[in-house]
Every structure is written in C-alpha cells, then in structure tokens.
Amino acid sequence: MAEVVIYHNPRCSNSRRALDVLRERGVEAEVVRYLETPLDRPALERLVAMLVDSPAALVRHDKRFAELGLDPEGYRDPSSVVELLAEHPELMQRPVVVAGGKAIIARPPEEKLAAFLG
C-alpha cells in the first residue's frame, strides 16, 4: 500500500479511533500532530487538492469558529479554506487520512477508513 499519513489530534476521540483502526489493519502511518506542527500554505493547498470531500468539509464549525465570529458561507472554496486553516489550524477537521494521492476526513473512522483503504 502507498504511504499513509494521518493528521491527528490526540485529544480527539475520532482521531484516536482512526489511529487504532489503522494499526488494527496493520497500516503503518506517518502521524502528523497538526496542532503542534501546523501545515503551511503550500501543504494545506496540496491537502485541499487531494480531499475527496468538499474543501468546506475541512473546516470545523465549532465553538472556536463561533468565537472568531466567522460565517460558514465564507469558507467554501479552496483558497478561503487554506487561508483560514493557515491562520487557525485548530479549525481543521480531524482526522484527515491521506493515501494514494487522496485525502479523506475519517469521520466516523471505522466506516470511512474501511471504504477508503479497501
């Protein structure tokens, strides 16, 4: 199998479960703790380009999003999503798994990873 990368937040239960699913399947993945090592703009652009889902799906509309006074309609296209996540990496949906030149948001992990990894 091609190299697998998981953008991981250890505080997130879905992210931890995704990592467990990968390990149970014998998949060795590079684990990127994106809050400790935020992605720069070029890396975010590559990730958004590989995303199977819409770019808007990569943005968390959580409490922090609301605290910033952001409008979900303003973050639908790739460039606005990249700009937002470059400035606020905590708003990136997780976990994101990359394999074979494609990226998915693995929520729920068991279902999404089974379909994605085959």
Side-chain angles (χ1 to χ4, degrees):
M1 175 176 289
E3 181 178 317
V4 176
V5 177
I6 180 171
Y7 293 93
H8 176 62
N9 178 349
R11 296 183 63 198
C12 171
S13 62
N14 278 309
S15 195
R16 290 191 310 268
R17 283 197 342 256
L19 199 51
D20 288 344
V21 169
L22 291 172
R23 289 176 178 150
E24 288 166 6
R25 296 176 67 97
V27 174
E28 289 190 33
E30 176 186 350
V31 177
V32 176
R33 293 184 178 202
Y34 65 92
L35 293 176
E36 294 173 13
T37 310
L39 284 71
D40 61 14
R41 280 180 174 76
L44 284 165
E45 289 168 352
R46 286 189 300 275
L47 184 62
V48 168
M50 290 187 285
L51 197 61
V52 173
D53 299 299
S54 74
L58 197 56
V59 177
R60 294 178 56 81
H61 298 147
D62 60 5
K63 181 181 175 184
R64 177 72 176 136
F65 188 89
E67 287 171 353
L68 292 168
L70 302 174
D71 177 4
E73 296 301 317
Y75 303 97
R76 298 206 170 273
D77 63 278
S79 61
S80 64
V81 168
V82 167
E83 281 299 312
L84 177 65
L85 296 179
E87 188 172 338
H88 299 283
E90 73 276 13
L91 294 178
M92 188 167 98
Q93 189 61 270
R94 73 264 180 168
V96 178
V97 177
V98 178
K102 295 183 181 180
I104 62 159
I105 299 166
R107 295 175 74 93
E110 298 83 1
E111 178 182 319
K112 289 282 188 116
L113 288 173
F116 186 57
L117 298 173

